[in-house]
């Protein structure tokens, strides 16, 4: 039996086109934590955990606890004795965009870190400032300087807060759980210039707070928003083409361009995540070609106002 009224179907025949689902970006908020195993624990196996207590069966490291304290409700944990992670990550069925190297690993061991073709954010904890500086200069790398024997407490708390937030935010000046012993402006300025992530302790009033948080010298949100925008653009394009089934014409390319720009503006520019985003669609050799121009705000720590206090004579 045909669906609908015969007369209505006679007057106006409509074809139903079901939209494809939005592209999945949830993996951008998932993290893999690399720890050293407890005795007898199988190495090289990734396990999804939903509590800090569950991690106690795999490792003696407490960094994972602070990841959950920061707001995460799940994390992947990889017990391993070394940082040759290339094969493990490339073979992983789990999807994640952040690899957190726990404080179990020394700076010398971090020198041998190999993540293969992984293009997400890789973070590590350092007590050695010189080693941290070298690590921080690499693309999408976060070097978090710690002290006072706090290991990865503040770094993991910061990532827990960042990845669990409802929107991408640089987490500027949020309180962190430990005093890493960084408590003077001169040191803080030097760490900022070297693009090292760190917590600054105000001993008089505010306590320890996240003073700078970045990846590869950029705002911490930069690699995540860039990847999300790329995936969303691909998903929006597929949805548009699936619903509209356009011909390969300049007019249709312009309509697709307008559609992408409207979606990107609403999601990123109006929300204050990006200061500018612009898609340009051209028709080349019977193919649509897209160019994207994106401007990501500088790390929020640049909002350290410097000025001159002038006293007027009475």
């Amino acid at each position: 039996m045909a669906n609908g009224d015969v007369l209505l179907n006679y007057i106006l025949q409509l074809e139903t086109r079901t939209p494809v689902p939005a592209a999945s970006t949830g993996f951008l908020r998932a993290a893999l934590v690399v720890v050293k195993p407890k005795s007898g624990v199988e190495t090289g196996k990734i396990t999804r955990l939903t509590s800090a207590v569950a991690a106690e069966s795999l490792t003696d490291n407490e960094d994972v606890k602070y990841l959950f304290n920061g707001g995460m409700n799940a994390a992947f944990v990889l017990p391993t004795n070394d940082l040759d992670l290339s094969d493990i990550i490339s073979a992983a069925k789990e999807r994640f965009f952040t690899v957190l190297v726990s404080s179990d690993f020394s700076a010398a061991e971090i020198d041998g870190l190999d993540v293969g073709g992984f293009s997400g954010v890789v973070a590590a904890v350092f007590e050695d400032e010189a080693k941290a500086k070298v690590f921080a200069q690499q693309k999408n790398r976060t070097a978090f300087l710690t002290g006072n024997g706090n290991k990865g407490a503040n770094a993991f708390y910061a990532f827990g807060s960042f990845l669990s937030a409802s929107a991408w935010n640089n987490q500027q000046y949020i309180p962190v759980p430990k005093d890493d012993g960084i408590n003077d402006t001169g040191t803080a300025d030097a760490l900022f210039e070297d693009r090292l992530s760190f917590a600054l302790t105000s001993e008089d009033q505010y306590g320890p707070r996240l003073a700078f948080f970045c990846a590869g010298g950029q705002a911490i949100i930069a690699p995540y928003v860039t990847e999300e925008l790329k995936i969303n653009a691909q998903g929006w394009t597929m949805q548009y083409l699936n619903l509209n089934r356009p011909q390969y014409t300049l007019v249709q390319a312009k309509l697709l361009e307008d559609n992408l720009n409207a979606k990107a503006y609403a999601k990123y520019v109006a929300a204050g995540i990006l200061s500018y985003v612009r898609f340009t669609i051209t028709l080349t050799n019977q193919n649509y070609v897209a160019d994207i121009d994106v401007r990501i705000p500088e790390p929020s720590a640049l909002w350290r106002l410097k000025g001159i206090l002038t006293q007027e004579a009475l």
Side-chain angles (χ1 to χ4, degrees):
M1 179 182 292
N3 293 325
D5 184 271
V6 63
L7 181 60
L8 296 181
N9 285 332
Y10 174 75
I11 295 172
L12 178 61
Q13 297 183 23
L14 294 175
E15 174 189 357
T16 301
R17 294 184 180 180
T18 304
V20 296
S24 175
T25 59
F27 76 97
L28 294 174
R29 296 189 178 276
L32 174 70
V33 183
V34 185
V35 297
K36 288 193 175 179
K38 274 187 170 180
S39 177
V41 169
E42 180 182 357
T43 61
K45 178 183 177 182
I46 297 175
T47 302
R48 183 179 184 272
L49 303 179
T50 56
S51 72
V53 174
E56 295 176 1
S57 64
L58 299 177
T59 181
D60 291 323
N61 185 276
E62 294 189 351
D63 294 346
V64 181
K65 176 179 72 174
Y66 291 98
L67 188 66
F68 282 95
N69 288 352
M72 294 288 281
N73 55 27
F76 298 113
V77 175
L78 171 64
T80 180
N81 288 307
D82 62 69
L83 293 176
D84 183 5
L85 309 177
S86 178
D87 291 342
I88 296 174
I89 290 178
S90 64
K93 296 180 180 178
E94 300 82 0
R95 297 189 70 196
F96 45 84
F97 194 69
T98 305
V99 172
L100 302 176
V101 179
S102 76
S103 57
D104 283 338
F105 297 91
S106 67
E109 289 173 307
I110 294 172
D111 283 342
L113 174 67
D114 182 6
V115 294
F118 179 72
S119 60
V121 173
V122 181
V125 180
F126 294 85
E127 292 183 347
D128 186 319
E129 186 175 335
K131 290 282 189 180
K133 183 177 178 179
V134 173
F135 190 86
Q137 291 173 349
Q138 301 175 68
K139 182 181 179 181
N140 287 359
R141 297 288 174 94
T142 296
F144 204 103
L145 193 67
T146 186
N148 287 345
N150 292 329
K151 299 184 177 180
N154 289 338
F156 276 65
Y157 186 92
F159 270 102
S161 179
F162 171 68
L163 294 174
S164 65
S166 59
W168 296 120
N169 186 286
N170 286 315
Q171 306 299 301
Q172 186 65 48
Y173 302 129
I174 62 168
V176 290
K178 299 286 187 178
D179 174 4
D180 278 336
I182 302 169
N183 52 21
D184 68 273
T185 304
T187 300
D189 282 343
L191 297 178
F192 174 77
E193 293 301 325
D194 288 337
R195 292 303 192 253
L196 302 186
S197 300
F198 67 98
L200 182 63
T201 299
S202 167
E203 297 177 340
D204 294 330
Q205 182 176 359
Y206 298 107
R209 289 180 177 265
L210 186 63
F212 191 57
F213 196 25
C214 69
Q218 295 181 294
I220 190 65
I221 71 167
Y224 296 91
V225 172
T226 301
E227 186 68 16
E228 183 183 79
L229 177 59
K230 182 184 75 174
I231 295 170
N232 280 335
Q234 292 168 337
W236 294 335
T237 301
M238 183 170 66
Q239 289 176 321
Y240 181 89
L241 296 178
N242 179 68
L243 284 176
N244 296 281
R245 302 176 188 176
Q247 299 297 320
Y248 293 110
T249 66
L250 291 175
V251 171
Q252 293 296 336
K254 178 60 177 175
L255 291 174
L256 173 59
E257 177 182 290
D258 291 344
N259 180 271
L260 292 176
N261 282 320
K263 288 181 178 294
Y265 182 88
K267 185 171 181 63
Y268 295 103
V269 180
I273 298 173
L274 295 175
S275 56
Y276 177 86
V277 59
R278 179 69 187 173
F279 288 87
T280 303
I281 308 295
T282 56
L283 187 60
T284 304
N285 297 326
Q286 300 301 308
N287 289 310
Y288 288 131
V289 177
D291 291 315
I292 309 175
D293 184 17
V294 175
R295 296 175 194 161
I296 299 176
E298 288 287 344
S300 294
L302 288 180
W303 289 106
R304 302 175 305 144
L305 304 183
K306 293 184 178 181
I308 299 174
L309 176 62
T310 302
Q311 291 183 324
E312 294 185 6
L314 296 177

